[in-house]
Amino acid sequence: VVPPAEVGHYSESLVYLPGCYQVSDRKRPVALNAPARADHGLPASGFVFCCFVNAARISPNVFDIWMRLLRAVPGSVLWLLEQSPEASQNLRREAAAREVDDDRLIFAPKLPLAEHLARLPLADLALDTFPYNGHTNTNDLLWMGVPIVTTAGRSFAARAAGSILTAHGFAELATASLAEYEVLASALARDPIRLAAMRERMRLGRERSSLFDTPRYCAQLEAAYRIMYERWRAGEAPAPIHVEPV
């Protein structure tokens, strides 16, 4: 999340952990009853794009891309998290202004976490926001085996999803520009075999992924704390620390 070229913008001396900055809860509960698309107002057939971040993060240029994707993929819909009636109405209006039927935007009510996680696999592909990526949302999607396409910027908030994807072994889903983001999302939506193989690889690799190895993450974080504490005890000034993998 902080590449070497950006270190000069931080007053702190940074501590780099192996893999990813974000800790994952691999014991999070998931509802046992797998829902059907019809249970959530989704079409039985057709491609389902999704984005479950706060609507305030949806920028006009990213929404433009989403609408172009809907126009390019016949029968597709965009599944969004419902924030408020006003936000949903505004997004529907903006879709219509971009020549997309507003009923192709489907809004999901907020649910308890276990039920929310259980519904995520109903989506085919998640689309990230920019310049503020999804953080916990990205982690939840990958835990449930749903690929997400993101793009990286220069700030921490714009690099979070790329960090999470890279730690999970799917760095190819983190693009370098919005143009690449659109091309990749469109290609995956048009290639069901490639997308299905990616989802299966994500499902099978979940238990082996360093992203979801919570005990390992904790051990590495504790190692960072020990290094910082010992430096402080020795009277040493703060300096960058790179923690070795456990």
Side-chain angles (χ1 to χ4, degrees), residues 3-183:
E6 306 299 333
V7 169
H9 300 294
Y10 290 79
S11 59
E12 302 88 352
S13 293
L14 302 182
V15 179
Y16 287 88
L17 296 176
C20 182
Y21 81 97
Q22 186 186 63
V23 64
S24 302
D25 178 8
R26 66 179 183 183
K27 294 183 179 180
R28 70 195 91 174
V30 179
L32 296 178
N33 296 326
R37 281 189 170 186
D39 298 329
H40 293 278
L42 298 169
S45 60
F47 198 88
V48 177
F49 295 103
C50 79
C51 181
F52 285 107
V53 302
N54 189 301
R57 297 185 190 178
I58 302 175
S59 55
N61 55 344
V62 169
F63 195 75
D64 287 341
I65 292 172
W66 294 354
M67 296 304 101
R68 288 197 294 268
L69 289 171
L70 289 182
R71 293 199 300 267
V73 182
S76 61
V77 298
L78 177 59
W79 196 19
L80 300 169
L81 187 64
E82 185 175 44
Q83 300 290 326
S84 68
E86 292 80 9
S88 300
Q89 182 179 356
N90 289 341
L91 289 168
R92 290 187 187 279
R93 184 188 65 243
E94 292 300 320
R98 290 162 174 79
E99 300 180 349
V100 173
D101 289 339
D102 62 8
D103 61 1
R104 294 177 70 183
L105 271 59
I106 299 172
F107 292 91
K110 293 182 179 180
L111 293 177
L113 179 60
E115 296 175 40
H116 170 65
L117 293 175
R119 70 182 172 182
L120 290 180
L122 298 175
D124 294 297
L125 179 67
L127 301 171
D128 200 12
T129 48
F130 184 84
Y132 201 113
N133 293 169
H135 296 56
T136 303
N137 175 68
T138 299
N139 193 297
D140 287 341
L141 287 162
L142 298 184
W143 179 249
M144 298 307 299
V146 182
I148 178 170
V149 176
T150 189
T151 191
R154 294 178 59 191
S155 69
F156 177 102
R159 302 183 65 85
S163 172
I164 296 165
L165 281 163
T166 300
H168 195 37
F170 289 85
E172 69 268 27
L173 292 173
T175 65
S177 69
L178 284 174
E180 293 180 16
Y181 166 100
E182 182 173 358
V183 168

Side-chain angles (χ1 to χ4, degrees), residues 47 147 187-201:
F47 198 88
L188 289 171
R190 297 168 181 272
D191 192 342
I193 295 176
R194 178 186 176 190
L195 185 59
M198 182 177 290
R199 290 175 68 108
E200 181 67 3
R201 179 162 61 96

Side-chain angles (χ1 to χ4, degrees), residues 163-233:
S163 172
I164 296 165
L165 281 163
T166 300
H168 195 37
F170 289 85
E172 69 268 27
L173 292 173
T175 65
S177 69
L178 284 174
E180 293 180 16
Y181 166 100
E182 182 173 358
V183 168
L184 178 58
S186 179
L188 289 171
R190 297 168 181 272
D191 192 342
I193 295 176
R194 178 186 176 190
L195 185 59
M198 182 177 290
R199 290 175 68 108
E200 181 67 3
R201 179 162 61 96
M202 200 169 278
R203 184 185 68 83
L204 293 175
R206 187 176 81 166
E207 299 304 323
R208 300 189 301 271
S209 170
S210 65
L211 177 65
F212 299 119
D213 191 341
T214 312
R216 181 184 182 194
Y217 179 95
C218 291
Q220 291 170 163
L221 184 62
E222 289 165 354
Y225 291 155
R226 285 193 293 271
I227 294 169
M228 287 187 281
Y229 178 65
E230 292 302 328
R231 288 184 60 86
W232 174 79
R233 285 190 63 189

